[in-house]
Every structure is written in C-alpha cells, then in structure tokens.
Amino acid sequence: MKTITETKPLAEIMKLLEKHKRIHLIGCGTCATTCHTGGKAEVLAMKEQLKAAGKEVTGWMVVPTTCDPLTKYALKEESEAVAAADAILVMTCGFGVQTVAAYSDKPVYPGLDTMFIGWEQSPGRFIEICIQCGQCVLGLTTGICPVTRCAKGMLCGPCGGAREGKCEQQPEHDCVWVLIYERLKKLGMLDKLTDFVPPKDYSRMKIPRTAEVALP
Amino acid sequence: MSLKQLIETGKFIVTAEVAPIKGTDTTELLEVAELLRGKIDAANVTDQQSSMMRLGSMVTSHLLKEKGLEPVFQMTCRDRNRIALQSDLLSASVLGIENVLALTGDVPSLGDHPQAKPVFDLDSVQLLWVISRLNAGYDMVGNELKGKTNFFPGAAVNPGADTEASFEMQIIKMEKKINNGARFFQTQAIYDVNLFAKFMKRVERFKVPVLAGVIPLKSAGMAKFMNKNVAGILVPDELIKKMTTAEDKTQTGIQIAADLIKNLKDICQGVHIMAIGWEKKVPQILAAAGL
Ligand code: SF4
Ligand code: SF4
C-alpha cells in the first residue's frame, strides 16, 4: 500500500513559483521514491529544471518519510539552506507538503499531484481499492469494494453495461460487479446479491474527519 | 389516459425518446411534440443524456405535457444528491408529471463536461425506493410530507448482457427494482428478437410490463459503431448487410425498425423507440409497423 503521486506539469510548477527566486527542494524516501516522483533522482532533475528556468536552488533533501513528525528535525538540520530560500517546493504527497508547512514559516508549494492510496495489483501497477468511506460495506460482497471500484459506486448491483467483463464507463477496468458475482458464486453465496442495500451514510465522509486514538 | 392506465388496459404500448435541446430555443422540440402527439402513448425525456449538458428533463417534460404529450421524466443520480433528487421529485409532482424513469446515469467523463464532479449519492434501485417513500407520504429519512407524490415509477434493464455474470445480475437487479417500486421496464435496444424472447421467458414470472427498446438504424456504420461501443447492443450481420446494400437507406432503416416492432408485438407489452435525431420519423416507423 502506498500513496500514489504524479508529477505536476512543469508549467504549473513554474506558475506556482513565479514570484520566488530562491527555492529549496524536498523529496520523500517512502511513497514518492517508489512512485519515481519525489525520490533523489527526481529531486535532482527538478533542481536542474529550476536552474534552467533561472531559479536558484538553495539546497535539497530527501526526508525518509516526510509525513512523519520527525520531518521537523530534518528541517532543523537543513535550516541554513531553507532560511536562504524564498519558498519550498515539496515533491511528496499532500500529507508531506502539509507536514513541511506545519514546521516551516516559508511558503510551501506542492510539486506533485496526490492521486490515491494504491494497492499493487500486478508488479508496478497500482489500483485504488478503498476510498476510506467510513462505513465499510465489504461484508456485502465478502471482500471486494464496489464503492471504490465501480465507476458509479453502485451498491445494488451492476449497471448492465459491462462488455466481456470490462466496465462500460472505464473499459481499462474490470466491472467490479462481475468480480463480485464470480466471488460470491464460488463461495456459494449468490443470495447475498438479492438484498436491498440502503443508501450509504456519506456523513461518515464529512471532512475533515478526526479520530481520538488511545495512547499507550 | 395516463401511462399507468394504458398499461393496465393491456394495450401494446409505444413510447419514444425525446432529447432536450442544448440551449433555450424550443421551436424544434415543440414541433416534435406536435408530431408525436396522439401517435405514441408517452415520451421519455432524457436527463443530460450521455452526460451532455442540456435543457433539463423536468422542464422539457412539463413543456411536452402542456402540448398534450404524456411525459416520462427520466432522472439520473449523476448530477444530484439525495436532497436535490427528492426536491426535484416533489417539484415534478407539483407540475403534474406522473411517470418517472429511475436511472443511475453515465459517468461525466463520457460527456462534454468530463471535468464535472460525479454525485452518485444514490443508485437506481435506491432512487426507486425513495420514490416509493415519497408516494407513501414520507421523505427518505421518514419525515412526513405535506402532500404526497403519486408517481408511476419505471426502470431500465439490459437484456443483452453478454456474460453469465452480467446477465444473471441484470435479472437479480430487475427483481430488486420491482421490489422497490418499479412498475414498468424499458430496455436497451433489441435487434435479435429470439434472444430477447429468451430473456422475456426468464422474467415472465415478475409479471411487470417490459417495453422493448428500438433504435432505428441510419446506416451500416451506425450499426457497427453500436456493436463495438454500446454494451448490450448486438446488430446481427444480416441487418448490417441489408443496410450496406440498401439503395434508400432511410427507407430501409425505417422498415427494419417496423419489422422489429411487428416481431416484438407478440413477445412483450410494448416498444420504446429511441430515434436519436429521427424523432420526426417515428410516426412513419409506426405506420410501417401497422400501429
Ligand atoms: S466500503 Fe470500500 S471504500 Fe468504504 S471502507 Fe470499505 S473498502 Fe473502503
Ligand atoms: S460496468 Fe460495472 S463497474 Fe462499470 S459502472 Fe457498470 S456496474 Fe460499475
């Protein structure tokens, strides 16, 4: 499982940095490194692109796990280069960007688009299988999520548009309801499909969500 | 007579699709209404069909009703959350609209505003359930309404689902729709009457009227396009050949649709003609079918 990110178009990054001359760069050694969007190689490539565009890069670092509170200490160690910058470009997921912002008084900009929490379906191919909806319905299907994997999030069965098992709306994906049918058939539990499923409680997705977790 | 009453008489029902225009000039829409009045039993008004932004289906339904054409107000769950869906249902009821076809709808990425945020707060089965609640005098959370709705709800089914899983689930879902209030069904376009007859055998026990979808062919290219791109549509080679060799393609397309309707007459309770631009030719198709 990891947070999947994509690099923003360079033109968009340049627009974000328009008013700033000296930039500090931060990458992440965890998800963004495995996505090849914010690891050492990508941070160094960005450094060259910024220099080519006339910016001055005051320093760079790849924090082991940028979303971790320890990022605070990484920023302290790097304080001289950060202090010399007018802005920080953070090449991590939105979590990392906001963690840096929480511990820094500099303007902070995202270099990546945060996509989803991905599950590795086959080597190198990630798919979204849970949008953290707050009211898990996996019990209906015994383990395959229609909320995330049906293009319309349908709870009461398929739209009827699947072609050879592929989703009508997004043909690059399997119709999740076909997968669900096959799973339930194998388990001898097709009767689960006849239940009416009442509308979901989307108040469970009311943002920002919080949780109080007991401390050790 | 209302669609409900007509269906109850057991008459062979004819409905046709009318697509709201993109813009505010309703001239042609009203011409179509004038032409179809008296020729069909009801007109389905599509709701931002294929996720293309257009005039609303409620207002268009209202205009048709004013013209004396019974509307079937199509409602999808793509653009409205449960508050807006219920509110629009109350509004439609106040306008005297009686028939609603509950659909989930296509994703926005298929249409002309692919950037839109999809809603899908409910799906078609849940929307039918909501309509039944409003008909009973309550909103979906149980608040009592001052004045209830009196809708005749319908739903869609795709008899041409191509795999065992898809086909079986269409039947399961059809039953769920009936359990939640669907009183009639309209189908995806049918070209293979024998295959459709098999489907009708399977759903006979539900005893709910099914209106078979008919899309008149305009060209062989259109048939091939649908075979390739539209789920559940399979135009047999023989019809494609007919269209390819036809001298007068329009006349041939009309004749094929008319023949289909004739063949469907003994199998189901009606037809639903989706003319897609050929709305004005619907009376010709019906005349050729002897209706
Ligand atoms: S229903 Fe789907 S999206 Fe919701 S919590 Fe369960 S797996 Fe995640
Ligand atoms: S084809 Fe399957 S996955 Fe795609 S929208 Fe329809 S039911 Fe959902």
Side-chain angles (χ1 to χ4, degrees):
Chain A
M1 183 202 89
K2 61 175 62 81
T3 304
I4 305 299
T5 44
E6 280 180 7
T7 308
K8 276 188 181 292
L10 189 63
E12 187 185 335
I13 294 175
M14 288 308 171
K15 180 97 189 112
L16 289 173
L17 300 179
E18 201 173 41
K19 294 205 165 68
H20 307 293
K21 173 92 175 91
R22 287 176 299 273
I23 312 294
H24 189 274
L25 281 172
I26 297 179
C28 174
T30 310
C31 305
T33 289
T34 43
C35 284
H36 305 294
T37 49
K40 186 177 169 189
E42 295 76 38
V43 169
L44 290 176
M46 180 60 71
K47 181 179 161 199
E48 292 314 312
Q49 282 175 311
L50 292 182
K51 275 162 78 180
K55 308 278 183 199
E56 185 190 318
V57 176
T58 62
W60 64 272
M61 64 174 163
V62 175
V63 179
T65 305
T66 318
C67 60
D68 194 278
L70 289 174
T71 296
K72 183 174 159 184
Y73 302 105
L75 280 164
K76 239 183 217 155
E77 262 172 46
E78 187 71 4
S79 58
E80 221 168 284
V82 172
D86 307 325
I88 309 175
L89 180 66
V90 185
M91 296 166 68
T92 73
C93 71
F95 215 126
V97 179
Q98 296 191 61
T99 305
V100 172
Y103 299 124
S104 167
D105 294 332
K106 298 280 174 185
V108 166
Y109 296 99
L112 309 181
D113 284 322
T114 304
M115 306 301 290
F116 58 95
I117 297 179
W119 176 71
E120 199 158 12
Q121 195 175 25
S122 55
R125 180 189 155 90
F126 289 85
I127 179 176
E128 183 170 28
I129 59 168
C130 173
I131 57 164
Q132 295 94 39
C133 74
Q135 189 192 36
C136 193
V137 301
L138 285 174
L140 290 173
T141 63
T142 77
I144 302 177
C145 176
V147 176
T148 308
R149 295 178 68 182
C150 166
K152 307 178 195 171
M154 294 203 292
L155 294 178
C156 293
C159 64
R163 283 169 75 87
E164 285 153 23
K166 294 289 172 191
C167 173
E168 164 185 44
Q169 312 274 321
Q170 303 181 139
E172 73 273 24
H173 289 293
D174 294 324
C175 167
V176 75
W177 276 103
V178 168
L179 301 181
I180 292 168
Y181 178 90
E182 272 151 14
R183 180 174 175 81
L184 291 175
K185 190 177 171 193
K186 206 153 60 188
L187 294 171
M189 294 172 79
L190 280 176
D191 56 314
K192 270 191 160 302
L193 290 174
T194 55
D195 300 340
F196 170 67
V197 183
K200 264 183 84 61
D201 178 2
Y202 283 106
S203 74
R204 299 282 295 166
M205 290 184 84
K206 198 175 64 190
I207 52 175
R209 294 182 274 186
T210 53
E212 310 288 337
V213 177
L215 298 172
Chain B
M1 238 191 274
S2 69
L3 182 62
K4 176 171 180 270
Q5 288 165 329
L6 283 171
I7 284 181
E8 278 161 5
T9 64
K11 165 190 185 299
F12 191 73
I13 301 292
V14 178
T15 58
E17 191 171 276
V18 173
I21 40 163
K22 191 164 190 99
T24 56
D25 179 357
T26 56
T27 322
E28 189 163 355
L29 187 84
L30 297 177
E31 275 168 27
V32 168
E34 193 64 47
L35 253 156
L36 295 181
R37 185 175 56 196
K39 303 265 178 6
I40 60 173
D41 298 310
N44 278 59
V45 184
T46 51
D47 178 12
Q48 322 294 325
Q49 190 173 19
S50 309
S51 307
M52 305 279 190
M53 191 286 291
R54 284 156 179 274
L55 181 64
S57 106
M58 191 195 320
V59 164
T60 308
S61 295
H62 174 67
L63 292 176
L64 295 189
K65 202 167 170 72
E66 275 190 338
K67 276 267 166 194
L69 190 58
E70 176 83 351
V72 177
F73 169 40
Q74 294 197 179
M75 195 173 218
T76 72
C77 300
R78 177 193 50 238
D79 308 314
R80 284 163 287 200
N81 68 9
R82 61 191 78 187
I83 299 174
L85 285 169
Q86 292 179 94
S87 171
D88 276 2
L89 282 163
L90 296 183
S91 304
S93 184
V94 166
L95 289 175
I97 295 166
E98 290 170 14
N99 317 302
V100 192
L101 191 80
L103 304 164
T104 302
D106 289 318
V107 294
S109 55
L110 298 182
D112 61 357
H113 289 64
Q115 307 83 356
K117 186 172 184 179
V119 181
F120 301 118
D121 191 15
L122 306 179
D123 65 19
S124 53
V125 179
Q126 295 164 340
L127 180 58
L128 285 162
W129 173 76
V130 167
I131 294 168
S132 299
R133 303 273 306 169
L134 299 179
N135 276 349
Y138 296 92
D139 70 13
M140 63 183 282
V141 294
N143 296 313
E144 206 171 325
L145 302 175
K146 189 167 183 174
K148 56 187 178 188
T149 63
N150 187 25
F151 287 119
F152 184 56
V157 64
N158 181 2
D162 60 354
T163 58
E164 179 213 308
S166 292
F167 185 79
E168 292 304 320
M169 274 187 300
Q170 276 300 293
I171 305 224
I172 293 170
K173 198 164 173 190
M174 188 175 175
E175 190 166 14
K176 267 196 225 190
K177 286 179 174 179
I178 296 166
N179 291 341
N180 285 286
R183 305 280 299 280
F184 68 96
F185 283 85
Q186 291 174 316
T187 78
Q188 179 59 285
I190 307 294
Y191 291 97
D192 186 332
V193 177
N194 292 331
L195 213 64
F196 179 62
K198 280 191 196 130
F199 167 82
M200 285 305 294
K201 264 254 139 357
R202 276 291 300 274
V203 302
E204 205 176 1
R205 66 190 168 95
F206 295 152
K207 301 206 173 8
V208 174
V210 175
L211 315 184
V214 173
I215 298 182
L217 296 176
K218 294 176 195 157
S219 65
M222 172 191 179
K224 286 182 199 152
F225 178 85
M226 290 195 299
N227 278 353
K228 194 161 167 246
N229 297 297
V230 188
I233 293 194
L234 193 96
V235 187
D237 286 340
E238 165 208 332
L239 292 184
I240 298 182
K241 226 178 263 157
K242 242 191 205 169
M243 286 305 289
T244 313
T245 54
E247 279 196 6
D248 184 342
K249 300 216 188 297
T250 306
Q251 204 43 49
T252 308
I254 290 176
Q255 197 52 50
I256 291 175
D259 291 343
L260 273 169
I261 295 173
K262 278 190 211 157
N263 292 330
L264 288 164
K265 245 189 126 170
D266 301 324
I267 302 175
C268 60
Q269 290 75 13
V271 283
H272 173 52
I273 304 171
M274 294 167 273
I276 322 178
W278 266 16
E279 285 74 16
K280 289 184 177 170
K281 295 196 172 67
V282 169
Q284 266 168 274
I285 296 171
L286 292 173
L291 288 169

